[in-house]
Amino acid sequence: MHIAEQALLSLLLNSTENRFQVSKGAPNYLSSAEMAELYAKVAFLGAAIEFLQEKYWLKNRDDNISGIKKTNAEFIAPFFIDELLALSFLKSFFETVESKALKPLLKKILVIESALLECIKMRSDTDRKDFTTKSLQAMSLLFQDEERRQGSSDEPIGPRLYRAFDGLDLIFNLDYSCDKTMIVDKKNPERLYQGSGVGVQSGYSTILLALHFSNLPKNSCVVDLGSGYGRVGLAFSLLRPDIKFIGYEYVPHRVALANDTGRAFQLESNLTFIEQDLSLEDFKIPEADAYYLYDPFTKETYEHVLRQIIAVSKRRSITVVTKGNAREWLLDIAQAHSWPTPVYVDGGNLCIFRSQPKPL
């Protein structure tokens, strides 16, 4: 059993008080890499418990109908073959946990996660960067596994991970409460998602699956059109420091916070967030290898932005990653310009388009 697995099992069986240490040499001190592995398992465990709560509800209903009651061990065993394989070291533990104990166990998991992240936040910038990078690597593997299980099914198969790792925003210092005091020009028709909290950002699953399936060449340039608080750029830059990333965002405080985190993580040489109204006629989108769009625009701004992206695609091959309704705009463009069929991820919620420049 790995150190992180031993630590998690110990936390589940014992008190969590004073479990995480900031200073090296202290009892129970875990390195940033060990803390990252532990964080990924703790956050996944939270989603797994919610998954088991649903399954136990169905089990109890079926048991009442059939009159045949399965033991806990019999019931959970199949889940640890696939859906909960990442937690196989906890199989024996869960064989002893009754369904009514899952709710207080979930509360304990949330306390553990909060304490872990608070400890990391108090460590050095170098430690925080290393922790976040390794957490993202572990999360990416979990998201890829979730995508494999999901396949073409419309129903979730296994724990739902879309919002399971939002706690990582604490380490990125992404404070969405800043939106509460923002003054919005009512004459501005753009969708700024003020008051949406974490919903203003792409989920970590979307971001990491986009990076994985885009398969961007070394030293690629990526442009995020509507970058919000910078989640996409921060994650891309930590996992692929060779990438040059430029994020454009209309809201000033979001840009400031994103750049502050980039500097704290020493990413500023290849990561930049710029305050920009993309609807302005004189705004020129820079040429890039890839563009990321998370449904941020009005119809008029879409047309202004996409005209420029189409122009770039006629000169070079590009990748366009879309989230949400932005897909519909790109589907029309792909058909009109004979682009290959896009890669559909997360049931089509995330689409990755690749252009084919016309031969000279």
Side-chain angles (χ1 to χ4, degrees), residues 60 118 136 171 191 193 272 290 311 343 345:
N60 293 335
E118 287 293 344
L136 291 169
I171 309 305
R191 293 192 292 276
Y193 297 102
T272 306
V343 175
V345 183

Side-chain angles (χ1 to χ4, degrees), residues 172-191:
F172 278 134
N173 198 33
L174 303 185
D175 183 4
Y176 304 113
S177 66
C178 295
D179 278 358
K180 294 180 181 179
T181 57
M182 67 185 285
I183 299 174
V184 179
D185 183 356
K186 295 182 179 180
K187 295 180 181 179
N188 182 353
E190 299 293 346
R191 293 192 292 276

